[in-house]
Amino acid sequence: MIVLGIESSCDETACAVVNDKREILSSVVWSQYDEHRRFGGVVPEIAARAHLEKCDLLVREAMDKAGKSFDQLDAVAVAAGPGLIGGVLVGVMTAKAIALCHGLPFVAVNHLEGHALTVRLSSDVQFPYLLLLTSGGHCQALIVKGVGQYEKLGGTIDDSAGEAFDKVAKMLDIGYPGGPNLEKRAKLGDPKKYDFPVPMKGRKGCDFSFSGLKTAVRVAIERQKTLTEQDKNDMCASFQRAVVAEMQDRLKHAISVFKERYPNAKDMVVAGGVAANGAVRQMIQNLADKSDLIFSAPPVGLCTDNGVMIAWAGLERFRLGFRDGFDFRARPRWPLDTSADTRK
Ligand code: KG4
Ligand code: ZN
């Protein structure tokens, strides 16, 4: 079984071909960093136009690299939301056109489900598993019970962790994209230099908050007349320490709910762009070890947005019989757990 996946929901245009032997036959990602750098963040209209210019070229490249023709595919999958709607539309229309021309089944994939399931391509993770999904748009603790079956234990009540990384990086003027640059700087800084707050520490439940932490960094920057490079590194390290402590505190609660509900389950996973962060991965590895759970995460290169995650989630859906009609509409919002509230 061979599936083509297309991703265009934020600032990466990406295409990949995967098969049901868990092989990545090709993966191409085109990041729009240069388009957005001077604005310090993603500009939706610019993103949509850039996707439009690149999408069909990347499909061609992914198919050529995989050495496959369209009629060798079993299905075409696309991230049909949630995301910046102009970009999502480009991917959805491209995927529908390919499916229609070549008589292939069309599979609409929730971008978040792409993040949630990718780990099953690289590791032997079984349902149900506990998942921290942490990206630019979301921060949620979920129980993944099966393909299409998610229970949200908590979400952020304000910013996502990725947003906080990006905004703090912007305040410190350490370059775009923020998260990876901040992590590099944090390695050179003192994590105890600034005593930034851990917003939800000690509170009940599994919700997250990062906005107060971001404000604390802004206040610390304003208090200092000049910021040396070392000050910046120390702020990065202290900020990252607080983010990790926030996640750790919240996940302890999520683990106890998960273990109570599923005493025989054994897997704990982190996914999404922020899962590329070494300190976040290490903290979750430690938590899992202490809780007798097996830690798994997608390889770092498959944490930030890519086509493989959409092709793989599409394949997982397709082999269970999920198909979508050509009347499927791109969705700017699309929660994984439709019974939960709308927190990110
Ligand atoms: O999953 P993703 O590529 O896009 C969304 O679905 O939102 O996540 C992007 C987010 C950005 O906020 C980026 O700064 C963050 O992931 N990120 C990181 C790292 N790499 C990417 N944050 C912290 N450390 C990293 N190494
Ligand atoms: Zn993403």
Side-chain angles (χ1 to χ4, degrees):
M1 191 180 284
I2 304 174
V3 175
L4 166 71
I6 302 175
E7 159 61 39
S8 60
S9 63
C10 191
D11 57 345
E12 260 93 28
T13 323
C15 295
V17 180
V18 303
N19 68 19
D20 58 351
K21 297 190 192 92
R22 306 204 298 189
E23 289 166 337
I24 299 171
L25 304 182
S26 66
S27 172
V28 287
V29 180
W30 183 71
S31 293
Q32 305 175 355
Y33 295 144
D34 293 339
E35 271 70 12
H36 303 290
R37 182 168 283 118
R38 69 194 166 107
F39 304 101
V42 181
V43 183
E45 276 71 25
I46 294 177
R49 277 170 203 276
H51 286 303
L52 195 57
E53 275 168 24
K54 290 285 179 195
C55 198
D56 55 342
L57 301 175
L58 287 193
V59 168
R60 183 75 274 157
E61 199 182 328
M63 294 299 292
D64 286 349
K65 283 193 171 153
K68 300 290 173 198
S69 58
F70 287 117
D71 51 3
Q72 288 175 291
L73 296 176
D74 292 279
V76 183
V78 64
L84 301 172
I85 194 64
V88 178
L89 272 168
V90 172
V92 168
M93 296 312 288
T94 307
K96 282 181 182 172
I98 295 169
L100 199 58
C101 285
H102 299 279
L104 293 167
F106 167 77
V107 184
V109 171
N110 183 317
H111 176 88
L112 302 173
E113 180 157 54
H115 281 305
L117 296 179
T118 307
V119 70
R120 286 166 47 81
L121 172 74
S122 49
S123 312
D124 294 320
V125 172
Q126 303 298 325
F127 300 123
Y129 54 91
L130 180 63
L131 170 70
L132 172 67
L133 201 169
T134 173
S135 66
H138 298 82
C139 187
Q140 309 183 345
L142 299 145
I143 299 176
V144 183
K145 298 176 184 172
V147 175
Q149 295 172 47
Y150 300 89
E151 182 181 340
K152 187 168 161 188
L153 301 179
T156 179
I157 57 169
D158 40 55
D159 291 350
S160 71
E163 242 174 310
F165 267 99
D166 295 337
K167 285 178 183 167
V168 166
K170 196 173 176 185
M171 287 190 265
L172 290 170
D173 197 20
I174 58 170
Y176 177 83
N181 286 334
L182 198 149
E183 181 181 13
K184 273 186 217 137
R185 292 251 184 182
K187 291 200 175 106
L188 309 171
D190 173 3
K192 297 209 172 108
K193 176 80 182 289
Y194 297 90
D195 188 20
F196 292 137
V198 180
M200 302 288 274
K201 194 174 169 81
R203 298 222 201 152
K204 277 195 203 151
C206 308
D207 283 343
F208 302 80
S209 164
F210 295 99
S211 139
L213 170 57
K214 178 193 66 190
T215 308
V217 178
R218 182 160 47 75
V219 171
I221 295 172
E222 284 164 7
R223 263 203 210 121
Q224 243 163 291
K225 284 209 184 79
T226 51
L227 275 184
T228 65
E229 292 305 307
Q230 189 56 45
D231 290 335
K232 289 188 181 183
N233 296 345
D234 293 341
M235 280 200 188
C236 289
S238 303
F239 164 79
Q240 188 174 279
R241 181 193 53 78
V243 170
V244 168
E246 168 80 352
M247 289 176 169
Q248 186 183 33
D249 185 78
R250 310 286 76 213
L251 285 176
K252 279 185 189 163
H253 293 210
I255 289 171
S256 54
V257 175
F258 179 58
K259 292 213 115 187
E260 201 182 299
R261 203 84 63 78
Y262 298 97
N264 299 323
K266 49 183 196 332
D267 290 299
M268 181 167 178
V269 172
V270 64
V274 183
N277 184 289
V280 170
R281 291 170 90 94
Q282 188 59 54
M283 176 274 293
I284 298 179
Q285 169 85 67
N286 296 346
L287 266 185
D289 290 349
K290 274 190 209 145
S291 318
D292 214 10
L293 292 169
I294 301 164
F295 168 75
S296 304
V300 168
L302 293 183
C303 287
T304 46
D305 292 348
N306 61 80
V308 173
M309 66 189 226
I310 303 305
W312 177 254
L315 191 148
E316 289 239 44
R317 292 185 73 79
F318 179 69
R319 69 181 169 193
L320 290 174
F322 291 100
R323 313 270 185 281
D324 294 283
F326 289 122
D327 56 350
F328 191 100
R329 295 176 73 162
R331 300 179 179 176
R333 287 173 199 281
W334 187 0
L336 268 183
D337 178 351
T338 41
S339 68
D341 56 36
T342 53
R343 275 165 301 159
K344 291 190 271 187

